[in-house]
Amino acid sequence: MKKKLLFSALAGIIFFTTVSFKNDFFEIAKQIEIFTTMYKELNMNYVDEVTPATLMDKAIKGMLEDLDPYTVYWNEQEVEDARIRNSGTYTGIGASVKTLKDKIIIMEPFKGYPADEAGLKAGDEIIKVGNTTLADFDDDAGELLKGAAGSSVSLTYNRQGKTQTTTLNRRKVDVKAVPYYKLLDDNIGYIVLQKFNRKTTLETKAALLDLKEQGANKIILDLRGNPGGLLNEAISIVNLFVPKGEVITTTKSSIEKYNKVYKTKNEPVDTEIPLVVLVNGRSASASEIVSGGLQDLDRAVVVGARSFGKGLVQRPKKLTYGTQLKVTISRYYTPSGRCIQALDYWNRDENGDPVRVDAKEYNKYTTKGGRTVYDGGGILPDIEVETAVFSPITTALLKDQAIFDYATEYHYNNQMADWKGFEFKDSDFRNFLDFLKRKGFSYETETEKEFAEALRSAEDEDIAKEISGDYEALMQSIDAAKEKKLVAKKAEIKSLLSDEILKRYFYKEGLYDYQVVNNPEILAGIDVLTNENKYKKILKK
């Protein structure tokens, strides 16, 4: 069996490399031979039992580790997961979840689907699926929730310190690319576009046509939080608003066949309707192709905060045994010629981290109408709104799940019958700050990392005792500065807290109903659309 596994692994390595043969055949062959002989000797002679598949998996990950984070190896299950994400449908419990070592956290139950109907709520911690206790389960626990449509599964979960059980029947879940659209006052059509899957253009076009039929003569396209997806869908979305034959993006690579120009192929729906696109720091990839393309063609006013900055294109490559390599093949460029990639993974600092493009070094480009735009670091909006920003401390709060956990606590301590009466007050924000102290929330700034490294150097040089008092005083000053920063970023933090809290009571639909009346980014979009002179001045029309 070990020999068969070894042969399979070697075949996979050979496949990996032969597709990229150029003029260095001998060097590649040499390195493969070195690797395979070492791999064989390690399997045959290591003191403890080793699993060939595990060793190979680690070797592959090590080979990809120093490349960009989007070049990854997918096993058979991960390939299937990617297919499901792109299709927009899957069979399951109808909830987004976070899988940890010993539990699965319900992040959001979808309205009307099995998890919701079974009474599960955001924040519930599943500890047992069927007869399987997750703390004793070594594989991906999320797989236990999957199953054939109509099949039942019993769940044991913790909620606010109490253990409960429920049973639900799995069924087909339709993940909408456009979960919400509505005609607002002043004949403004509002469309939320949350992902780029195979249904994106179909759903967006249907929403646009329906809104126009209702009387919409202005449009807001909301791409906030949209992480991207299929490139061809991004081109098609821009095509709804620009004529056939327009260049939307160009991809460039060291490999000739990946150098391509992507143009709109169809007749548009409306090339004149005033358009606003909303973006924030979690709008990435295909979202940036759409917002950057419409901005460069002077077809829309972009509102919000600088987008994520992912200007790299990936393509899945089939390997043996149903696995795939998702590999970065090129960079993409907007119609004006700019690349919005924020991190340079091919140039790293002394800590091995990718270098971020310096704002002072951004190159200037011009839109179709002669406006100045810049490359690097994402799409910079024409109108920036404070609440759309994701500062380092806000990002740390999201990563630590502090905003999510506070929303859970808030939900069980407060009654709310109608979103119209909701307001996240300053007193609520002070309660949130107290919550952070109770939970021991902390995050390390880049400044702290640098000082900690300096202290380690001082220990090596045997002067740490002499400076330890100053170091502690400095850390206390930094802690005080971080607390002030939390208060300084109150607007963006309150906005995220409000969104997370409202979803607990009224699902995504209620959140959007609240946002179109209260959200600062949407209100900024409405403002520019209802001010024709302002709109034209920004676009220089």
Side-chain angles (χ1 to χ4, degrees), residues 507-526:
Y507 303 92
K508 276 279 185 70
E509 293 89 340
L511 168 61
Y512 295 134
D513 283 337
Y514 172 86
Q515 284 195 342
V516 295
V517 178
N518 297 280
N519 181 261
E521 298 102 270
I522 297 176
L523 294 179
I526 292 172

Side-chain angles (χ1 to χ4, degrees), residues 312-324:
L312 305 175
V313 181
Q314 287 73 45
R315 177 170 295 180
K317 293 291 184 179
K318 291 183 179 180
L319 307 178
T320 53
Y321 299 101
T323 62
Q324 286 187 7

Side-chain angles (χ1 to χ4, degrees), residues 138-182:
D138 294 330
D139 296 325
D140 182 5
E143 296 300 309
L144 297 173
L145 298 179
K146 299 176 182 178
S151 61
S152 64
V153 58
S154 62
L155 303 175
T156 303
Y157 61 95
N158 289 330
R159 175 186 293 172
Q160 299 292 288
K162 296 181 180 179
T163 301
Q164 303 183 46
T165 60
T166 188
T167 300
L168 53 79
N169 292 317
R170 303 178 181 96
R171 73 169 187 261
K172 183 179 177 182
V173 178
D174 183 19
V175 182
K176 292 186 177 181
V178 177
Y180 182 93
Y181 69 91
K182 185 177 183 179

